[in-house]
Structures are given as structure tokens and as C-alpha cells.
Amino acid sequence: MVAMFKALPFGIFLTLLVALFIGSGGSSGGMLHVFHFNVTVHDLGLDVRLWWSWTLFLAGTGLAWAILLMMD
């Protein structure tokens, strides 16, 4: 169970990185369904556009979890 929680940041990082390249190229990634959303923090004057895919997040987290389990 600890390996699963350790795998979450790796899954998030992998999703953001891969979805950035797929989404900024103008594609939705087919079954990955990459979409964009805006994160706005008015107090800091921050407006960021992020790309995300739940399918890619689950696959990346599962891959990271498997690798961490094999390392034990």
C-alpha cells in the first residue's frame, strides 16, 4: 500500500509531461482524451494552462506502482 502512495507523484509528473507534448501539438491523444484546463490564483496573479488525461494518469501510476513493487 505504501508503494501506491509513493507512485502517485510519479504518475502525476508523467501525466503532466506526456499530456503537455500531446496536447500542445493539437491532438487529444485518441483514447487518452487529453484536455486542457486553466488554473487561476487571483491573489498571486497566476494564470496557468495545464493539460491532463485521467487515462494516462491511471496508466502512469500503475506503471510506477509496478516498478516500485518490483524494487522491494
Side-chain angles (χ1 to χ4, degrees), residues 38-69:
N38 294 327
V39 176
T40 305
V41 179
H42 295 288
D43 295 337
L44 300 176
L46 189 69
D47 188 26
V48 179
R49 184 175 182 180
L50 294 175
W51 298 90
W52 189 256
S53 167
W54 285 108
T55 309
L56 189 58
F57 171 70
L58 292 176
T61 303
L63 177 65
W65 186 24
I67 291 171
L68 288 171
L69 283 176

Side-chain angles (χ1 to χ4, degrees), residues 12-24 32 34 51 56:
I12 291 170
F13 177 71
L14 179 68
T15 301
L16 288 174
L17 187 66
V18 173
L20 171 69
F21 286 106
I22 293 173
S24 64
L32 294 178
V34 175
W51 298 90
L56 189 58

